[in-house]
Amino acid sequence: MNLRHRTARTALIAALLLSSVPAAAENVLLTLTGAVTDGRVELTRADFDAMDWHEFATSTSVTDHQPEFRGVLMRDILAHAGAEGSQVRAAALNDYVVDIPIEDFYQFDVLAALYMDGVPLTPRDKGPVWIVYPRDDHGVLADIRYDMRWVWQLVALHVQ
Amino acid sequence: MTTRQEWIRYLGLGGLVLVCLGLLGLAAWQLVQLERQMRIGASENMIWVFGQAQIEALNLALTLSDEAAAQQIQTRFDVLLSRLTLLEEGPQRRFLEDAGVSETLAGWRSGLLALDPAQGADMAALRAHVTALVAALRGKASLVMSHEWQIQAERLDRLGHLHRLALVSVLGAALAGLGLAAILIDRERRLMRGRLDRLRAEKLAGDLERERETSENHRRFADLIAHQLRTPLAVIDSAMHRLTRRGGPVSPELVSEKAAVSREAVARLVKLTDTALMMSRLERDGVLPHLGAHDLHDLAAAVIDDLMVAQGRNPSRIRPPAQAAPMVALCDPALTGEILSNLLRNALLYSPLDCRVDVEVSQSQTHIVCRIEDRGRGMSPEEIARAFDRFHRGSGHETLPGSGLGLTLARHLARMQGGDVILTQRAGGGLTAALYLPREVSA
């Protein structure tokens, strides 16, 4: 990765984070752009709290036991943001970017987890948001092609 | 084959089936194992995970040296921390332990936490710590890479091994299956041979039975002929004896009477010989019909004439067919004459002297039919059913001259020409003998 590219990416994420400064009290956790209401929707913790919360335990590819995850369904987030599209480009704090078909969120109960084993996720671990698939409920999900979509440190979703 | 050998064969067969199924089961199990191991796990992606930790360390070092905004430094700090946290979690930690790099990496995370910028840590100390971390990570990157590839290669070896085992199992099962097939084919061959032997034996027995029947027929035929020959010979002998008896002169009337009796006896002998010859030729299939178009009226009339002349009988007893439209059949005139003469003689012989015999010719869609009706005793359905058997003589007629071959011969000759002879009871008493012959179809 060349320096300019990296700086630009860092600047983008910083901008996403900093743009929420005016409302810093209501820390923005997730920003949706693209085909959403007014082209941009920011979700704070309060917005998350207003939605239905779900929880399930599942094995992951990077932990030993089966942590208990708690959060809101990805499809609820998309519905909340009035998203219309076929896929989202998920971007993480650590510059990880991956495209996820929106179909996944309707086919499976994919969680935008904010808690793991009752402990809030932070940017120092896999927070603020970790996309978690119900890996143990569907054999097909135990596959590298789905493992790639488990985005942690999720901060932005671009609907397209 | 003894029971013991049978048992050994069955055990062998069962054993082969078991081996075959067992090997197939083994192959299936190995293939399932193969399928399971062929998945790629994200935890195998350690080159990427380790590389990302390295990059984040570099990012933080760069941000620190750029003296960027505190927020930006904090973000890079958090992300690096998360990368180190990931390396310390279960699967990743075990991998690094196996690769022998976990010890060199231990302690970096806690060291970093102690220098948290959010807690107002010394930036220079943080910079020095991160620079040292970058160097430590760079020193171990190649070890991680080679360990990763080592694991992948070993995994492929395992897959290859499983694959070979499955292949060997399938080949073994195929061999067992071949053995099984060989045994079954051998068994089938034996069964087939047994069946053929049985069929041959049955055929032989049938041939023998037929031969016995034929020879029995010949014996009865010879007896019958001898018996039939005796009567006319005795008649002639008696006539000759009367003529040559010593005593008074022989009147010319007596001579002519005895001559007539003798001639009739001779004629019967000739007829008998002819029938015997015909039967004998038929048995050798020596007679082939010469088919042609002939009017059955003419044939019947000729036969009636011959019969009257030869036997000097009362011509008025037979009512010949009325001449109507021509009734042309496709037949052999000699054979047809023989049949008609046979049926007519039967009709005359088996009905009272003063009763009429009607001959009538008609036609159906496909056949020309000549019916000969007598007013004799007739025959019961059972008698009719047996009438065509060889050497069968009608009940109560044993004393009348006859070979028991006439009807058999007549039907045989009719069928040779594509026709038939059928007996039915005549309405009003007596018997109707019908000769069917195919119609001549003029093209």
Side-chain angles (χ1 to χ4, degrees):
Chain A
M1 194 190 309
N2 67 41
L3 185 62
R4 191 135 52 99
H5 199 139
R6 185 193 60 79
T7 325
R9 179 98 49 90
T10 312
L12 172 76
I13 291 169
L16 283 174
L17 292 173
L18 292 176
S19 60
S20 63
V21 167
E26 302 177 64
N27 242 329
V28 171
L29 294 180
L30 188 59
T31 307
L32 287 99
T33 53
V36 293
T37 312
D38 299 332
R40 184 184 179 92
V41 173
E42 293 177 343
L43 295 179
T44 63
R45 178 55 200 259
D47 295 321
F48 275 93
D49 286 338
M51 287 188 246
D52 284 338
W53 282 61
H54 297 261
E55 61 178 50
F56 57 75
T58 180
S59 63
T60 81
S61 64
V62 293
T63 59
D64 276 339
H65 62 297
Q66 294 173 302
E68 177 86 26
F69 291 99
R70 198 149 60 83
V72 301
L73 291 178
M74 284 297 287
R75 57 172 174 265
D76 290 348
I77 294 178
L78 293 181
H80 176 88
E84 285 173 8
S86 60
Q87 66 172 19
V88 293
R89 174 159 294 179
L93 273 182
N94 60 15
D95 303 338
Y96 187 80
V97 174
V98 72
D99 287 334
I100 305 176
I102 286 180
E103 191 192 345
D104 274 15
F105 305 142
Y106 290 91
Q107 203 174 348
F108 312 107
D109 291 335
V110 183
L111 211 58
L114 278 80
Y115 289 85
M116 179 168 88
D117 290 331
V119 180
L121 292 165
T122 70
R124 294 187 175 185
D125 189 5
K126 295 185 179 61
V129 178
W130 187 0
I131 297 181
V132 175
Y133 280 72
R135 198 176 198 262
D136 295 349
D137 296 343
H138 306 274
V140 70
L141 294 179
D143 188 286
I144 185 69
R145 279 162 290 193
Y146 285 101
D147 288 340
M148 290 190 307
R149 298 173 189 170
W150 287 54
V151 181
W152 60 68
Q153 296 182 326
L154 177 74
V155 287
L157 288 173
H158 185 75
V159 182
Q160 54 198 34
Chain B
M1 192 181 290
T2 66
T3 323
R4 194 183 152 78
Q5 275 173 314
E6 270 298 321
W7 266 105
I8 290 175
R9 279 181 73 85
Y10 276 124
L11 279 181
L13 214 60
L16 269 180
V17 169
L18 278 183
V19 167
C20 200
L21 290 180
L23 284 173
L24 282 179
L26 193 64
W29 182 77
Q30 281 153 348
L31 286 177
V32 167
Q33 293 296 312
L34 202 63
E35 196 268 336
R36 271 190 199 154
Q37 295 195 16
M38 269 169 54
R39 286 186 183 285
I40 302 172
S43 50
E44 289 163 25
N45 196 13
M46 277 304 286
I47 296 178
W48 161 268
V49 170
F50 198 82
Q52 287 300 306
Q54 229 181 321
I55 288 168
E56 290 308 337
L58 278 170
N59 274 347
L60 181 57
L62 205 65
T63 319
L64 285 171
S65 63
D66 281 353
E67 295 191 349
Q71 175 70 47
Q72 214 173 333
I73 291 174
Q74 189 62 50
T75 303
R76 289 343 294 180
F77 182 86
D78 287 351
V79 171
L80 175 58
L81 213 53
S82 82
R83 283 292 168 193
L84 293 178
T85 307
L86 184 65
L87 288 182
E88 286 184 5
E89 270 166 1
Q92 292 73 239
R93 192 189 66 244
R94 276 195 301 283
F95 178 95
L96 295 176
E97 279 167 5
D98 288 348
V101 298
S102 63
E103 276 179 36
T104 34
L105 294 180
W108 288 103
R109 184 171 173 273
S110 49
L112 208 57
L113 269 175
L115 295 167
D116 189 350
Q119 310 290 326
D122 176 9
M123 283 297 157
L126 178 60
R127 197 178 298 135
H129 188 76
V130 171
T131 309
L133 175 59
V134 166
L137 288 175
R138 187 190 294 141
K140 300 302 170 191
S142 56
L143 283 179
V144 169
M145 183 273 291
S146 63
H147 187 63
E148 168 103 36
W149 287 123
Q150 183 70 29
I151 288 175
Q152 296 294 354
E154 281 168 8
R155 199 171 73 98
L156 286 182
D157 279 352
R158 273 199 310 280
L159 294 184
H161 183 65
L162 268 177
H163 184 251
R164 274 191 300 279
L165 275 181
L167 202 64
V168 167
S169 301
V170 167
L171 282 179
L175 272 181
L178 270 181
L180 212 58
I183 287 178
L184 288 179
I185 287 172
D186 179 57
R187 184 160 285 221
E188 192 61 28
R189 204 167 45 85
R190 280 159 194 262
L191 278 177
M192 188 70 86
R193 206 159 50 198
R195 226 170 2 236
L196 278 181
D197 283 351
R198 206 158 48 242
L199 279 180
R200 212 171 293 145
E202 275 167 15
K203 187 178 176 304
L204 219 60
D207 286 352
L208 206 63
E209 181 57 32
R210 223 173 1 261
E211 196 57 40
R212 201 173 290 145
E213 212 170 276
T214 310
S215 105
E216 171 71 5
N217 278 347
H218 281 149
R219 197 186 56 73
R220 282 170 62 189
F221 188 60
D223 284 357
L224 206 81
I225 295 292
H227 182 75
Q228 294 299 318
L229 285 175
R230 271 189 71 82
T231 319
L233 285 176
V235 168
I236 293 168
D237 183 54
S238 142
M240 289 305 131
H241 184 73
R242 174 72 185 84
L243 286 179
T244 54
R245 198 166 51 187
R246 273 174 214 210
V250 180
S251 68
E253 289 79 22
L254 189 66
V255 171
S256 95
E257 184 202 325
K258 291 302 171 190
V261 168
S262 299
R263 283 199 62 203
E264 196 180 335
V266 168
R268 208 190 295 162
L269 281 175
V270 169
K271 184 68 217 164
L272 198 63
T273 325
D274 282 352
T275 307
L277 273 177
M278 177 77 85
M279 284 306 290
S280 154
R281 274 165 63 204
L282 279 179
E283 288 205 335
R284 293 198 313 267
D285 282 323
V287 174
L288 283 176
H290 301 286
L291 297 179
H294 300 280
D295 193 331
L296 218 54
H297 279 300
D298 301 344
L299 287 176
V303 167
I304 292 169
D305 284 352
D306 283 355
L307 216 55
M308 294 304 103
V309 169
Q311 309 205 343
R313 292 235 171 90
N314 174 14
S316 64
R317 231 190 118 192
I318 299 179
R319 193 169 71 176
Q323 182 70 42
M327 301 284 179
V328 183
L330 188 64
C331 62
D332 179 313
L335 298 182
T336 307
E338 176 69 29
I339 300 167
L340 287 175
S341 140
N342 214 310
L343 297 179
L344 265 173
R345 263 186 286 117
N346 276 349
L348 293 171
L349 192 62
Y350 296 123
S351 63
L353 282 171
D354 55 346
C355 283
R356 216 175 62 220
V357 170
D358 292 342
V359 179
E360 166 197 3
V361 181
S362 61
Q363 61 182 352
S364 74
Q365 203 82 5
T366 51
H367 287 84
I368 303 288
V369 191
C370 180
R371 287 194 175 78
I372 295 158
E373 303 185 344
D374 67 47
R375 288 164 174 77
R377 195 162 61 81
M379 291 169 87
S380 70
E382 294 77 33
E383 284 174 320
I384 287 179
R386 297 204 56 204
F388 291 100
D389 291 352
R390 273 178 168 220
F391 305 122
H392 177 75
R393 301 295 313 276
S395 59
H397 300 318
E398 287 82 0
T399 54
L400 288 172
S403 60
L405 287 170
L407 277 177
T408 316
L409 185 65
R411 171 168 271 185
H412 188 87
L413 294 178
R415 287 186 174 173
M416 274 171 66
Q417 303 173 76
D420 205 352
V421 170
I422 290 167
L423 297 180
T424 48
Q425 286 169 311
R426 176 178 170 274
L431 192 73
T432 300
L435 165 65
Y436 286 79
L437 286 171
R439 278 180 70 165
E440 204 271 331
V441 184
S442 35

